[in-house]
Structures are given as C-alpha cells and as structure tokens.
Amino acid sequence: MRKRILLLSIIAAGIAGATAFGWVTIRRGFSARDNPSVVETYVAKTARRLSVPASERNAKNPFAASAEVLSEARAHFADHCAICHGNDGSGKTQIGQNLYPKTPDMRLPETQNLTDGEVYYIIHNGIRLTGMPAWGAEEKDEDSWKLVVFIRHLPQLTAAEEREMEAINPKGPAEKEGSLLREQHFVRALCRWAAPSRSGRKLPYWRR
C-alpha cells in the first residue's frame, strides 16, 4: 500500500512539474534567443549520453594526431564547421549564438571530456532538436574521425593556424566579388608586366 502511494505521489509530482514547466515556457514564448533552463540542459545532456551506444562510446579513433591529419581536418573544419562553431571552436558566431541551444565552446571540458567515440557519434549522426546535423555518409566515414583529432587540438590552436583557416572559410557574395576584383587586377598587372615593348624588350611595370 505504501509503495503504491509513493509511486502515485512521484507520478503526480512529475505531472505537476511538467505542467508548471510547460506553463512557464508558453508564458515566456519559444524564442531561440533564450538560454535553455537547468531542467532542459540536464534532460538534453542525459538523453545525449544515453543515445550513444556503449560500443560507439568506447570506439577508438583510427587516426593519430599527425601533421597531415591535422592539416586536412583543419581545412575541412574551416570549410564546413566554422560557420557555426568559429575557427577556434568557441561558437562565437552569428549563427552559433542564435541557435537553440547555443553552439558550445568545444575547447572547454564539457566537450573535451567526451570520449573520441562520443564526439565521432555526434558529428556523424547529429543531435535531434538542435542545429547540429548529421555529416558524412551513412557508413563509417574517415572525415568525421579526422575532425575528432582536430577538435582535440582546439585548445592549442595557434594564431597562424587561425589565419590559414580564414583563407578557407566560405565567402559571402560581397567578399567573393572583392576577391574576384583583386584577382582580375593582379592578372591585368601580370599581363602588362609580361607584355614586350615595341622594341621587343620588357619594360618595368611602372613605365607602361
């Protein structure tokens, strides 16, 4: 009898809590500008942890942190991931800070303490009800494993590496137009420099 009463009390408390949470959420609205509540954060992290199969959680990365792997993964990250996560993994981007939940700082222990298998699983399969999509082919993909290597490197990312990534980042229409104009100017200058003078001799660029 006591167990039954205790069980009913727990169920009633759960229903009351869910009702209160729903009422507060509706009153506040569903704006993505808000930060998740403590309850939402706990539930989401628990669900994420439980959603990763044990076999995947303990999977070993087949790639070591060699210069070649880091270079390839850094370029991949700059081209595919930095638009939300930032080149430095801080998540301080216009898109990253307006998602719900906001893009995490992957340099911090919350991400770095995950196993390689967990990080790979998140990249490869994405996370439902967030802005994180699934990447790569449905079967195992090497690119996602290499990204795990780069994510481990984020806390030690250098300024030189960030500058290299900036050159790879996708460009908007205005940046593309400016880049095209610079390239055209360079090509015209190169052609003028290479063109022979009437006498057959090449003249310095500044004398043409």
Side-chain angles (χ1 to χ4, degrees), residues 152-182:
R152 295 296 187 211
H153 176 70
L154 282 173
Q156 293 83 43
L157 193 69
T158 66
E161 288 173 321
E162 283 196 62
R163 286 194 296 272
E164 180 185 321
M165 294 173 76
E166 288 172 3
I168 304 172
N169 293 148
K171 303 294 189 294
E175 290 176 296
K176 287 181 180 178
E177 184 178 352
S179 178
L180 179 61
L181 289 173
R182 286 192 296 273

mmCIF file of all heavy atoms in Angstrom, residues 152-182:
data_model
loop_
_atom_site.group_PDB
_atom_site.id
_atom_site.type_symbol
_atom_site.label_atom_id
_atom_site.label_comp_id
_atom_site.label_asym_id
_atom_site.label_seq_id
_atom_site.Cartn_x
_atom_site.Cartn_y
_atom_site.Cartn_z
ATOM 1 N N ARG A 152 40.199 17.850 -30.657
ATOM 2 C CA ARG A 152 41.114 17.672 -29.519
ATOM 3 C C ARG A 152 42.226 18.726 -29.534
ATOM 4 O O ARG A 152 42.769 19.093 -28.490
ATOM 5 C CB ARG A 152 41.738 16.275 -29.567
ATOM 6 C CG ARG A 152 40.763 15.137 -29.393
ATOM 7 C CD ARG A 152 40.120 15.167 -28.040
ATOM 8 N NE ARG A 152 39.310 13.989 -27.789
ATOM 9 C CZ ARG A 152 38.227 13.978 -27.043
ATOM 10 N NH1 ARG A 152 37.817 15.092 -26.460
ATOM 11 N NH2 ARG A 152 37.551 12.868 -26.843
ATOM 12 N N HIS A 153 42.546 19.212 -30.724
ATOM 13 C CA HIS A 153 43.638 20.183 -30.878
ATOM 14 C C HIS A 153 43.180 21.615 -30.618
ATOM 15 O O HIS A 153 44.027 22.511 -30.431
ATOM 16 C CB HIS A 153 44.198 20.058 -32.304
ATOM 17 C CG HIS A 153 45.261 21.047 -32.641
ATOM 18 N ND1 HIS A 153 46.533 21.012 -32.082
ATOM 19 C CD2 HIS A 153 45.255 22.119 -33.495
ATOM 20 C CE1 HIS A 153 47.260 22.013 -32.571
ATOM 21 N NE2 HIS A 153 46.512 22.700 -33.416
ATOM 22 N N LEU A 154 41.875 21.858 -30.595
ATOM 23 C CA LEU A 154 41.357 23.231 -30.484
ATOM 24 C C LEU A 154 41.939 24.032 -29.321
ATOM 25 O O LEU A 154 42.242 25.226 -29.495
ATOM 26 C CB LEU A 154 39.827 23.205 -30.394
ATOM 27 C CG LEU A 154 39.084 22.976 -31.714
ATOM 28 C CD1 LEU A 154 37.589 22.791 -31.452
ATOM 29 C CD2 LEU A 154 39.308 24.137 -32.666
ATOM 30 N N PRO A 155 42.083 23.461 -28.111
ATOM 31 C CA PRO A 155 42.636 24.274 -27.014
ATOM 32 C C PRO A 155 44.058 24.769 -27.285
ATOM 33 O O PRO A 155 44.501 25.729 -26.657
ATOM 34 C CB PRO A 155 42.610 23.302 -25.820
ATOM 35 C CG PRO A 155 41.516 22.325 -26.146
ATOM 36 C CD PRO A 155 41.622 22.149 -27.631
ATOM 37 N N GLN A 156 44.768 24.136 -28.219
ATOM 38 C CA GLN A 156 46.144 24.544 -28.533
ATOM 39 C C GLN A 156 46.249 25.236 -29.895
ATOM 40 O O GLN A 156 47.333 25.445 -30.416
ATOM 41 C CB GLN A 156 47.076 23.317 -28.546
ATOM 42 C CG GLN A 156 47.280 22.669 -27.184
ATOM 43 C CD GLN A 156 46.158 21.708 -26.841
ATOM 44 O OE1 GLN A 156 45.727 20.937 -27.698
ATOM 45 N NE2 GLN A 156 45.706 21.731 -25.595
ATOM 46 N N LEU A 157 45.121 25.602 -30.489
ATOM 47 C CA LEU A 157 45.129 26.212 -31.820
ATOM 48 C C LEU A 157 45.937 27.514 -31.802
ATOM 49 O O LEU A 157 45.785 28.338 -30.911
ATOM 50 C CB LEU A 157 43.693 26.512 -32.269
ATOM 51 C CG LEU A 157 43.500 26.867 -33.741
ATOM 52 C CD1 LEU A 157 43.745 25.649 -34.628
ATOM 53 C CD2 LEU A 157 42.087 27.404 -33.970
ATOM 54 N N THR A 158 46.802 27.688 -32.794
ATOM 55 C CA THR A 158 47.657 28.872 -32.848
ATOM 56 C C THR A 158 47.041 29.959 -33.727
ATOM 57 O O THR A 158 46.153 29.694 -34.541
ATOM 58 C CB THR A 158 49.045 28.519 -33.410
ATOM 59 O OG1 THR A 158 48.906 28.125 -34.794
ATOM 60 C CG2 THR A 158 49.681 27.382 -32.625
ATOM 61 N N ALA A 159 47.553 31.174 -33.573
ATOM 62 C CA ALA A 159 47.079 32.302 -34.392
ATOM 63 C C ALA A 159 47.386 32.060 -35.869
ATOM 64 O O ALA A 159 46.592 32.418 -36.747
ATOM 65 C CB ALA A 159 47.736 33.598 -33.914
ATOM 66 N N ALA A 160 48.514 31.437 -36.160
ATOM 67 C CA ALA A 160 48.886 31.151 -37.545
ATOM 68 C C ALA A 160 47.902 30.163 -38.177
ATOM 69 O O ALA A 160 47.522 30.310 -39.344
ATOM 70 C CB ALA A 160 50.306 30.586 -37.602
ATOM 71 N N GLU A 161 47.481 29.176 -37.399
ATOM 72 C CA GLU A 161 46.512 28.203 -37.903
ATOM 73 C C GLU A 161 45.165 28.871 -38.174
ATOM 74 O O GLU A 161 44.491 28.564 -39.160
ATOM 75 C CB GLU A 161 46.360 27.056 -36.903
ATOM 76 C CG GLU A 161 47.564 26.129 -36.837
ATOM 77 C CD GLU A 161 47.462 25.105 -35.731
ATOM 78 O OE1 GLU A 161 46.974 25.462 -34.624
ATOM 79 O OE2 GLU A 161 47.877 23.952 -35.932
ATOM 80 N N GLU A 162 44.764 29.783 -37.295
ATOM 81 C CA GLU A 162 43.503 30.502 -37.499
ATOM 82 C C GLU A 162 43.548 31.350 -38.770
ATOM 83 O O GLU A 162 42.567 31.412 -39.515
ATOM 84 C CB GLU A 162 43.187 31.390 -36.294
ATOM 85 C CG GLU A 162 42.650 30.633 -35.091
ATOM 86 C CD GLU A 162 41.999 31.554 -34.076
ATOM 87 O OE1 GLU A 162 41.000 32.212 -34.422
ATOM 88 O OE2 GLU A 162 42.505 31.628 -32.947
ATOM 89 N N ARG A 163 44.685 31.997 -39.025
ATOM 90 C CA ARG A 163 44.816 32.805 -40.245
ATOM 91 C C ARG A 163 44.722 31.920 -41.486
ATOM 92 O O ARG A 163 44.108 32.300 -42.485
ATOM 93 C CB ARG A 163 46.136 33.568 -40.233
ATOM 94 C CG ARG A 163 46.164 34.745 -39.267
ATOM 95 C CD ARG A 163 47.343 35.653 -39.539
ATOM 96 N NE ARG A 163 48.618 34.980 -39.324
ATOM 97 C CZ ARG A 163 49.253 34.927 -38.159
ATOM 98 N NH1 ARG A 163 48.722 35.511 -37.089
ATOM 99 N NH2 ARG A 163 50.408 34.311 -38.051
ATOM 100 N N GLU A 164 45.313 30.749 -41.397
ATOM 101 C CA GLU A 164 45.238 29.803 -42.506
ATOM 102 C C GLU A 164 43.791 29.378 -42.756
ATOM 103 O O GLU A 164 43.342 29.250 -43.900
ATOM 104 C CB GLU A 164 46.094 28.575 -42.180
ATOM 105 C CG GLU A 164 46.091 27.503 -43.256
ATOM 106 C CD GLU A 164 46.861 26.270 -42.827
ATOM 107 O OE1 GLU A 164 47.914 26.433 -42.172
ATOM 108 O OE2 GLU A 164 46.420 25.146 -43.136
ATOM 109 N N MET A 165 43.038 29.195 -41.675
ATOM 110 C CA MET A 165 41.639 28.786 -41.796
ATOM 111 C C MET A 165 40.780 29.905 -42.385
ATOM 112 O O MET A 165 39.830 29.651 -43.121
ATOM 113 C CB MET A 165 41.108 28.364 -40.425
ATOM 114 C CG MET A 165 41.776 27.111 -39.868
ATOM 115 S SD MET A 165 41.280 26.736 -38.176
ATOM 116 C CE MET A 165 39.631 26.068 -38.450
ATOM 117 N N GLU A 166 41.101 31.149 -42.045
ATOM 118 C CA GLU A 166 40.325 32.284 -42.553
ATOM 119 C C GLU A 166 40.347 32.340 -44.080
ATOM 120 O O GLU A 166 39.375 32.775 -44.712
ATOM 121 C CB GLU A 166 40.876 33.595 -41.968
ATOM 122 C CG GLU A 166 40.540 33.771 -40.488
ATOM 123 C CD GLU A 166 41.254 34.956 -39.862
ATOM 124 O OE1 GLU A 166 41.963 35.661 -40.616
ATOM 125 O OE2 GLU A 166 41.125 35.154 -38.643
ATOM 126 N N ALA A 167 41.451 31.899 -44.667
ATOM 127 C CA ALA A 167 41.546 31.897 -46.127
ATOM 128 C C ALA A 167 40.669 30.822 -46.752
ATOM 129 O O ALA A 167 40.334 30.900 -47.940
ATOM 130 C CB ALA A 167 43.004 31.692 -46.547
ATOM 131 N N ILE A 168 40.288 29.826 -45.964
ATOM 132 C CA ILE A 168 39.487 28.704 -46.463
ATOM 133 C C ILE A 168 37.999 28.903 -46.177
ATOM 134 O O ILE A 168 37.151 28.321 -46.856
ATOM 135 C CB ILE A 168 39.974 27.381 -45.830
ATOM 136 C CG1 ILE A 168 41.469 27.191 -46.099
ATOM 137 C CG2 ILE A 168 39.196 26.179 -46.356
ATOM 138 C CD1 ILE A 168 42.077 26.028 -45.352
ATOM 139 N N ASN A 169 37.685 29.734 -45.182
ATOM 140 C CA ASN A 169 36.275 29.941 -44.813
ATOM 141 C C ASN A 169 35.425 30.316 -46.018
ATOM 142 O O ASN A 169 35.873 31.088 -46.868
ATOM 143 C CB ASN A 169 36.147 31.055 -43.767
ATOM 144 C CG ASN A 169 36.744 30.692 -42.424
ATOM 145 O OD1 ASN A 169 37.241 31.550 -41.717
ATOM 146 N ND2 ASN A 169 36.713 29.423 -42.049
ATOM 147 N N PRO A 170 34.188 29.802 -46.104
ATOM 148 C CA PRO A 170 33.285 30.194 -47.199
ATOM 149 C C PRO A 170 33.088 31.704 -47.219
ATOM 150 O O PRO A 170 32.985 32.338 -46.164
ATOM 151 C CB PRO A 170 31.982 29.458 -46.855
ATOM 152 C CG PRO A 170 32.406 28.305 -46.005
ATOM 153 C CD PRO A 170 33.581 28.797 -45.217
ATOM 154 N N LYS A 171 33.031 32.282 -48.397
ATOM 155 C CA LYS A 171 32.913 33.726 -48.552
ATOM 156 C C LYS A 171 31.492 34.109 -48.961
ATOM 157 O O LYS A 171 30.830 33.393 -49.707
ATOM 158 C CB LYS A 171 33.880 34.239 -49.609
ATOM 159 C CG LYS A 171 35.344 33.898 -49.349
ATOM 160 C CD LYS A 171 35.869 34.594 -48.106
ATOM 161 C CE LYS A 171 37.373 34.443 -47.951
ATOM 162 N NZ LYS A 171 37.792 33.059 -47.708
ATOM 163 N N GLY A 172 31.007 35.261 -48.457
ATOM 164 C CA GLY A 172 29.726 35.802 -48.862
ATOM 165 C C GLY A 172 29.848 36.465 -50.230
ATOM 166 O O GLY A 172 30.942 36.646 -50.748
ATOM 167 N N PRO A 173 28.711 36.874 -50.826
ATOM 168 C CA PRO A 173 28.731 37.495 -52.163
ATOM 169 C C PRO A 173 29.644 38.711 -52.248
ATOM 170 O O PRO A 173 30.385 38.866 -53.218
ATOM 171 C CB PRO A 173 27.264 37.880 -52.385
ATOM 172 C CG PRO A 173 26.494 36.942 -51.524
ATOM 173 C CD PRO A 173 27.350 36.702 -50.318
ATOM 174 N N ALA A 174 29.620 39.573 -51.242
ATOM 175 C CA ALA A 174 30.441 40.793 -51.282
ATOM 176 C C ALA A 174 31.927 40.440 -51.224
ATOM 177 O O ALA A 174 32.743 41.018 -51.951
ATOM 178 C CB ALA A 174 30.077 41.708 -50.109
ATOM 179 N N GLU A 175 32.271 39.474 -50.362
ATOM 180 C CA GLU A 175 33.671 39.062 -50.250
ATOM 181 C C GLU A 175 34.144 38.395 -51.540
ATOM 182 O O GLU A 175 35.270 38.599 -51.975
ATOM 183 C CB GLU A 175 33.839 38.104 -49.077
ATOM 184 C CG GLU A 175 33.682 38.751 -47.722
ATOM 185 C CD GLU A 175 33.766 37.730 -46.601
ATOM 186 O OE1 GLU A 175 32.901 36.842 -46.523
ATOM 187 O OE2 GLU A 175 34.720 37.821 -45.810
ATOM 188 N N LYS A 176 33.260 37.570 -52.140
ATOM 189 C CA LYS A 176 33.624 36.905 -53.395
ATOM 190 C C LYS A 176 33.872 37.929 -54.500
ATOM 191 O O LYS A 176 34.818 37.810 -55.275
ATOM 192 C CB LYS A 176 32.504 35.954 -53.823
ATOM 193 C CG LYS A 176 32.414 34.685 -52.985
ATOM 194 C CD LYS A 176 31.305 33.784 -53.494
ATOM 195 C CE LYS A 176 31.217 32.514 -52.666
ATOM 196 N NZ LYS A 176 30.105 31.639 -53.111
ATOM 197 N N GLU A 177 33.010 38.965 -54.558
ATOM 198 C CA GLU A 177 33.169 39.997 -55.581
ATOM 199 C C GLU A 177 34.479 40.749 -55.388
ATOM 200 O O GLU A 177 35.216 41.003 -56.341
ATOM 201 C CB GLU A 177 31.989 40.971 -55.535
ATOM 202 C CG GLU A 177 32.029 42.021 -56.635
ATOM 203 C CD GLU A 177 30.822 42.939 -56.589
ATOM 204 O OE1 GLU A 177 29.897 42.666 -55.806
ATOM 205 O OE2 GLU A 177 30.819 43.921 -57.354
ATOM 206 N N GLY A 178 34.780 41.092 -54.122
ATOM 207 C CA GLY A 178 36.031 41.797 -53.838
ATOM 208 C C GLY A 178 37.238 40.941 -54.180
ATOM 209 O O GLY A 178 38.227 41.429 -54.738
ATOM 210 N N SER A 179 37.148 39.641 -53.864
ATOM 211 C CA SER A 179 38.250 38.730 -54.172
ATOM 212 C C SER A 179 38.438 38.601 -55.678
ATOM 213 O O SER A 179 39.570 38.584 -56.180
ATOM 214 C CB SER A 179 37.967 37.362 -53.557
ATOM 215 O OG SER A 179 38.992 36.450 -53.866
ATOM 216 N N LEU A 180 37.317 38.532 -56.421
ATOM 217 C CA LEU A 180 37.394 38.422 -57.876
ATOM 218 C C LEU A 180 38.034 39.660 -58.485
ATOM 219 O O LEU A 180 38.872 39.570 -59.390
ATOM 220 C CB LEU A 180 35.984 38.214 -58.453
ATOM 221 C CG LEU A 180 35.887 38.100 -59.983
ATOM 222 C CD1 LEU A 180 36.683 36.898 -60.474
ATOM 223 C CD2 LEU A 180 34.422 37.971 -60.408
ATOM 224 N N LEU A 181 37.661 40.847 -57.985
ATOM 225 C CA LEU A 181 38.242 42.086 -58.495
ATOM 226 C C LEU A 181 39.747 42.133 -58.238
ATOM 227 O O LEU A 181 40.518 42.573 -59.099
ATOM 228 C CB LEU A 181 37.552 43.297 -57.840
ATOM 229 C CG LEU A 181 36.115 43.571 -58.287
ATOM 230 C CD1 LEU A 181 35.504 44.678 -57.441
ATOM 231 C CD2 LEU A 181 36.069 43.937 -59.769
ATOM 232 N N ARG A 182 40.160 41.670 -57.049
ATOM 233 C CA ARG A 182 41.598 41.657 -56.739
ATOM 234 C C ARG A 182 42.342 40.709 -57.677
ATOM 235 O O ARG A 182 43.443 41.010 -58.138
ATOM 236 C CB ARG A 182 41.809 41.265 -55.275
ATOM 237 C CG ARG A 182 41.451 42.374 -54.285
ATOM 238 C CD ARG A 182 41.953 42.053 -52.892
ATOM 239 N NE ARG A 182 41.306 40.875 -52.337
ATOM 240 C CZ ARG A 182 40.161 40.891 -51.664
ATOM 241 N NH1 ARG A 182 39.519 42.044 -51.481
ATOM 242 N NH2 ARG A 182 39.646 39.780 -51.162
#
